[in-house]
Amino acid sequence: NAGVTQTPKFQVLKTGQSMTLQCAQDMNHEYMSWYRQDPGMGLRLIHYSVGAGITDQGEVPNGYNVSRSTTEDFPLRLLSAAPSQTSVYFCASSYSANRGPSNQPQHFGDGTRLSIL
Amino acid sequence: AQSVTQLDSQVPVFEEAPVELRCNYSSSVSVYLFWYVQYPNQGLQLLLKYLSGSTLVKGINGFEAEFNKSQTSFHLRKPSVHISDTAEYFCAVSDGFSGGYNKLIFGAGTRLAVHP
């Protein structure tokens, strides 16, 4: 049971290049999300998914695309990288997207450190 | 819109001393509150959560937090810290409605530095 796996761990891109950050979980979790972490700003939600085929925007979706074709995978795409997208990206998952109080903790990956020159 | 304010960006403390990390939130509806810890070069781990019921919540590693609705606060405390508690701590809130409770709004983080 690997939990949430993010690849790559580090990446350097040039402005305008495209890239896909991979996220996979092996816990059969419904809910998956992407955050970016910037100094002094905490984590901000980019996109999230409540199940296969269903995605929605978070706080800072511009410049990023996502898809959820399977329960396990939730890739994040940068179509044309910009220096403002230099950040640490975290993928997270949890068992249920249920709105009730029976919350399950979110499991976070170890992050992808992305630098855009 | 929801927001979370962590009142201290850095908290230095000596080993075995007590510590309090402060968190205030703003929301017009009932909220769920969380504290996460991030060790260097790692993802976040859940320390504790408040969903309902008792306002004093106990978590892992000896941490606890108290929900105060009138002051819209959710401060994290530990009576005696260890060197291994050195990490960054994040307070987060969700309202359970706009996208479900998993849609978290995070504070900017508090870096706890425990000195021998």
Side-chain angles (χ1 to χ4, degrees), chain A residues 31 35 37 40-43 45 48 59 90 94 96-106 108-110 113, chain B residues 32 34 36 38 41-44 46 49 51 88 90 96-109:
Chain A
Y31 186 93
Y35 294 87
Q37 183 180 23
M41 301 188 73
L43 279 76
L45 183 65
Y48 65 98
E59 294 177 74
F90 287 99
S94 64
S96 173
N98 191 308
R99 294 180 177 183
S102 56
N103 184 24
Q104 297 292 320
Q106 293 207 46
F108 282 80
D110 287 339
R113 284 152 183 79
Chain B
Y32 304 129
F34 308 84
Y36 283 84
Q38 184 182 32
N41 298 316
Q42 294 186 24
L44 278 68
L46 181 67
K49 61 191 177 189
L51 304 180
E88 189 148 21
F90 292 94
F97 295 96
S98 51
Y101 62 80
N102 281 305
K103 194 175 180 183
L104 298 172
I105 304 297
F106 283 88

Side-chain angles (χ1 to χ4, degrees), chain B:
Chain B
Q2 297 174 61
S3 66
V4 177
T5 302
Q6 291 185 240
L7 297 162
D8 306 292
S9 59
Q10 296 186 63
V11 173
V13 64
F14 287 109
E15 195 173 18
E16 297 184 6
V19 70
E20 178 179 82
L21 307 184
R22 299 180 292 168
C23 173
N24 286 94
Y25 67 92
S26 66
S27 175
S28 58
V29 298
S30 297
V31 295
Y32 304 129
L33 293 156
F34 308 84
W35 275 100
Y36 283 84
V37 60
Q38 184 182 32
Y39 298 104
N41 298 316
Q42 294 186 24
L44 278 68
Q45 300 175 31
L46 181 67
L47 270 180
L48 48 79
K49 61 191 177 189
Y50 172 79
L51 304 180
S52 64
S54 173
T55 58
L56 183 63
V57 179
K58 294 190 183 298
I60 62 172
N61 300 342
F63 284 93
E64 63 181 31
E66 185 157 17
F67 171 59
N68 188 318
K69 188 175 182 179
S70 63
Q71 297 187 9
T72 60
S73 68
F74 190 55
H75 299 334
L76 181 71
R77 302 185 182 101
K78 186 170 183 178
S80 176
V81 295
H82 303 289
I83 296 287
S84 59
D85 293 322
T86 295
E88 189 148 21
Y89 292 79
F90 292 94
C91 181
V93 64
S94 72
D95 63 18
F97 295 96
S98 51
Y101 62 80
N102 281 305
K103 194 175 180 183
L104 298 172
I105 304 297
F106 283 88
T110 298
R111 190 171 298 275
L112 176 65
V114 181
H115 301 283

